[in-house]
Amino acid sequence: MILKPPHPQQRNATVVDVARRAGVSAMTVSRVINGSGKVREETRKAVNAAIAELNYTPNVAARALVTSREVRIGVIYSNPSAAFMHDFLIGVFEEASVMGAQLTLLGGQDGRPPPPEAIHRLIASGIGGIIIAPPLGESRVVRDPIHLAQLPMAVVGGYARDAICVRIDDRAAAYDMTKHLIGLGHRRIGFIIGNPGQSASEDRLAGFDAAVDEAGGIETILVQGDFSYTSGLLAGEQLLDIDHPPTAIFASNDDMAAAVVSVAHRRHLSVPEDLTVVGFDDTTAAVTLWPPLTTIRQPVRELAAEALRLLTQEISTSRKVRHPKCLLGHQLIERQSTAAIAG
């Protein structure tokens, strides 16, 4: 397993970090911090040890303010990857349970924004701020009415001048994965691009191109996808139908990579002996198929939790603040879907 150390730009530890280190749920961490509920002494010691190791400091003032005002946070989402949204919503719900915030969810379909009237109803419902999950963070249809209402908002996985931004360095992550494939000896590599017009898609393609250009002598075949499993099936068929198919395929997310593995199996190709396949995100989709995927681990739960924490901080100040841009680290996780070129 290849692990890339966190990005040098460090962040404060979150309750999700503490829970993961102690091997318990975020709710258990909350009980230990607040001294509420029944917690075994052994568990309490493990949580306190994790808190000390990570130097975690609960945002008591922000938590008390949220609770006293019963502030509600809206979450707008529409992602074609069910695995990604599962991890995202767990992250935001766990952090909300610690902060005492109430969540109101508003979903779109297949990556499309919810209807404008639904967004306006959410804004008018008395919420204190809004978290926007990818790929909607760069949608003006979503952001403009929130901005006009002067509501604090946090964008996950994208860029926005008028909002808190929490993301990873997609370009560097894709660069690392492409270098890994080249290091295995692959010289004919297919790449499935993500949703058009989404900055994460553009950054991942840019990272792929940078590694290819740096190495030289690499043949590439690009196919458009949209982050959905269905688009991965179509892209996999296109890549494997050509006269000289790639020996490795890098899909811009795990759902599309899992679809490519399915296409390979239908064609009686062995992964990774006949075809190397890699993905991006490290969602549950990466480990619920055979072989499990080599992928980039994007800390989806932590991204969601950090967005809620920063948004709560902004709400608690009751004044305009400079919007932070938070960059979390990524990891390259090597599993059984990759192999070196024979010979």
Side-chain angles (χ1 to χ4, degrees), residues 191-225:
F191 185 83
I192 305 178
I193 307 169
N195 203 34
Q198 191 175 339
S199 64
S201 303
E202 297 168 359
D203 288 349
R204 291 172 196 181
L205 176 58
F208 173 78
D209 286 339
V212 166
D213 290 344
E214 181 181 287
I218 308 297
E219 180 185 350
T220 62
I221 309 100
L222 305 182
V223 177
Q224 184 67 58

Side-chain angles (χ1 to χ4, degrees), residues 9 38 53 66 102 107 114 137 145 154 185 215 244 248 257 272-273 296 307 318 334:
Q9 183 178 344
K38 294 183 179 180
E53 290 171 11
V66 169
Q102 299 178 27
H244 298 287
E273 286 79 7
I296 292 293
S318 299
E334 186 176 12

Side-chain angles (χ1 to χ4, degrees), residues 29-336:
V29 175
S30 176
R31 291 193 186 104
V32 173
I33 293 172
N34 296 321
S36 61
K38 294 183 179 180
V39 179
R40 294 171 54 192
E41 185 59 28
E42 181 181 346
T43 302
R44 190 182 304 278
K45 288 180 180 179
V47 171
N48 285 328
I51 289 172
E53 290 171 11
L54 297 173
N55 197 27
Y56 171 69
T57 304
N59 192 339
V60 178
R63 184 171 67 247
L65 185 64
V66 169
T67 303
S68 65
R69 292 182 179 178
E70 293 185 337
V71 169
R72 288 168 41 232
I73 303 294
V75 180
I76 301 179
Y77 66 95
S78 179
N79 195 295
S81 170
F84 182 96
M85 283 313 307
H86 171 269
D87 288 350
F88 183 92
L89 291 175
I90 285 179
V92 77
F93 269 111
E94 286 183 340
E95 188 70 13
S97 72
V98 174
M99 300 301 296
Q102 299 178 27
L103 298 180
T104 301
L105 305 183
L106 176 60
Q109 293 292 326
D110 300 323
R112 298 187 300 274
E117 57 270 22
I119 297 174
H120 286 291
R121 283 197 300 269
L122 177 64
I123 292 171
S125 67
I127 56 174
I130 293 179
I131 295 174
I132 310 174
L136 299 180
E138 292 155 319
S139 168
R140 304 306 310 189
V141 172
V142 175
R143 287 212 332 257
D144 283 352
I146 301 171
H147 180 68
L148 288 173
Q150 298 185 331
L151 271 179
M153 60 179 149
V155 168
V156 178
Y159 300 93
R161 291 184 178 180
D162 55 352
I164 296 163
C165 294
V166 184
R167 46 185 292 273
I168 68 166
D169 189 336
D170 290 279
R171 186 183 188 279
Y175 173 90
D176 290 346
M177 180 60 82
T178 309
K179 290 284 287 183
H180 179 61
L181 293 176
I182 294 170
L184 291 173
H186 294 283
R187 294 296 179 268
R188 199 160 60 254
I189 305 174
F191 185 83
I192 305 178
I193 307 169
N195 203 34
Q198 191 175 339
S199 64
S201 303
E202 297 168 359
D203 288 349
R204 291 172 196 181
L205 176 58
F208 173 78
D209 286 339
V212 166
D213 290 344
E214 181 181 287
I218 308 297
E219 180 185 350
T220 62
I221 309 100
L222 305 182
V223 177
Q224 184 67 58
D226 63 11
F227 286 135
S228 69
Y229 185 88
T230 300
S231 74
L233 291 174
L234 296 173
E237 297 283 4
Q238 291 179 57
L239 288 168
L240 296 177
D241 270 344
I242 63 178
D243 290 338
H244 298 287
T247 62
I249 296 177
F250 181 3
S252 289
N253 78 338
D254 291 338
D255 280 33
M256 295 193 296
V260 171
V261 172
S262 177
V263 171
H265 287 166
R266 288 208 305 261
R267 292 171 177 246
H268 305 291
L269 296 175
S270 175
V271 177
E273 286 79 7
D274 300 321
L275 176 69
T276 277
V277 181
V278 299
F280 199 111
D281 285 338
D282 199 29
T283 59
T284 52
V287 292
T288 52
L289 76 162
W290 181 259
L293 288 171
T294 293
T295 187
I296 292 293
R297 175 176 291 167
Q298 176 173 207
V300 178
R301 295 187 187 187
E302 289 84 347
L303 289 168
E306 187 72 0
L308 180 63
R309 187 184 70 80
L310 291 173
L311 184 61
T312 302
Q313 277 187 351
E314 180 167 334
I315 294 170
S316 72
T317 62
S318 299
R319 58 184 174 83
K320 195 68 175 178
V321 297
R322 181 181 179 185
H323 297 110
K325 312 300 178 187
C326 182
L327 200 66
L328 302 192
H330 65 272
Q331 297 173 324
L332 195 162
I333 308 298
E334 186 176 12
R335 298 192 179 98
Q336 288 93 334

